[in-house]
């Protein structure tokens, strides 16, 4: 596990439990591959299908979770359809991988945050992302 990052069980497909360290969020965009998948590699411009859970650093309740909806999400990656933190960390990983991503505001929702989701402009957000498929 990368130093300073939350602890997450590495079971692909299982709803994640995210345990935050006492320390502040790491600086910059960080990604840890918890499980290395053996499927096709995701490339910029691909349409990926993922399960994910997003939590504000240090909080317990997710602000968004496809796991909770039991419905994966699909979108084009690397082309600006999602936040920069996703566009820069998901490509290059294989289908079947579980990623833990720490995203500072400048790679997430910016200085305005996403108030409707409870995300402040200074908040680092954390995602657990399971890459289900790519095409």
């Amino acid at each position: 596990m990368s130093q300073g990052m939350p602890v997450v069980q590495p079971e692909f497909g299982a709803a994640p439990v995210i345990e935050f360290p006492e320390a502040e969020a790491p600086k910059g965009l960080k990604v840890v591959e918890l499980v290395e998948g053996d499927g096709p590699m995701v490339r910029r411009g691909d349409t990926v299908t993922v399960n994910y859970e997003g939590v504000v650093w240090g909080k317990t309740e997710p602000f968004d979770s496809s796991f909770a909806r039991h419905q994966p999400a699909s979108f084009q990656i690397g082309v600006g359809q999602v936040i920069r933190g996703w566009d820069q960390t998901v490509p290059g990983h294989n289908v079947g991988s579980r990623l833990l991503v720490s995203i500072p505001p400048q790679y997430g929702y910016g200085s305005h945050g996403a108030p409707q989701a409870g995300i402040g402009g200074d908040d680092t957000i954390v995602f657990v992302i399971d890459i289900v498929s790519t095409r």
Side-chain angles (χ1 to χ4, degrees):
M1 183 63 55
S2 184
Q3 188 168 359
M5 290 288 279
V7 174
V8 178
Q9 81 280 15
E11 185 183 346
F12 183 91
V17 175
I18 302 170
E19 297 175 25
F20 288 95
E22 292 295 318
E24 288 185 16
K27 301 295 182 214
L29 184 63
K30 304 281 186 218
V31 61
V32 177
E33 189 173 64
L34 300 172
V35 173
E36 182 179 358
D38 58 5
M41 181 181 288
V42 176
R43 301 187 189 288
R44 292 189 189 287
D46 284 0
T47 297
V48 295
T49 300
V50 297
N51 266 314
Y52 66 89
E53 185 153 291
V55 181
V56 172
W57 185 276
K59 302 276 175 85
T60 55
E61 289 299 313
F63 59 81
D64 193 10
S65 175
S66 69
F67 288 101
R69 290 190 299 276
H70 304 287
Q71 181 66 48
S74 296
F75 44 81
Q76 207 173 3
I77 195 74
V79 297
Q81 285 191 358
V82 292
I83 60 174
R84 275 180 52 204
W86 279 56
D87 275 349
Q88 293 188 11
T89 58
V90 174
H93 293 278
N94 297 346
V95 170
S97 295
R98 172 167 271 201
L99 309 178
L100 172 64
V101 185
S102 176
I103 303 175
Q106 65 269 31
Y107 291 96
Y109 296 99
S111 60
H112 298 294
Q116 70 280 12
I119 302 169
D122 293 332
D123 286 341
T124 293
I125 53 179
V126 172
F127 284 95
V128 174
I129 304 168
D130 285 358
I131 305 172
V132 176
S133 68
T134 189
R135 57 180 168 80

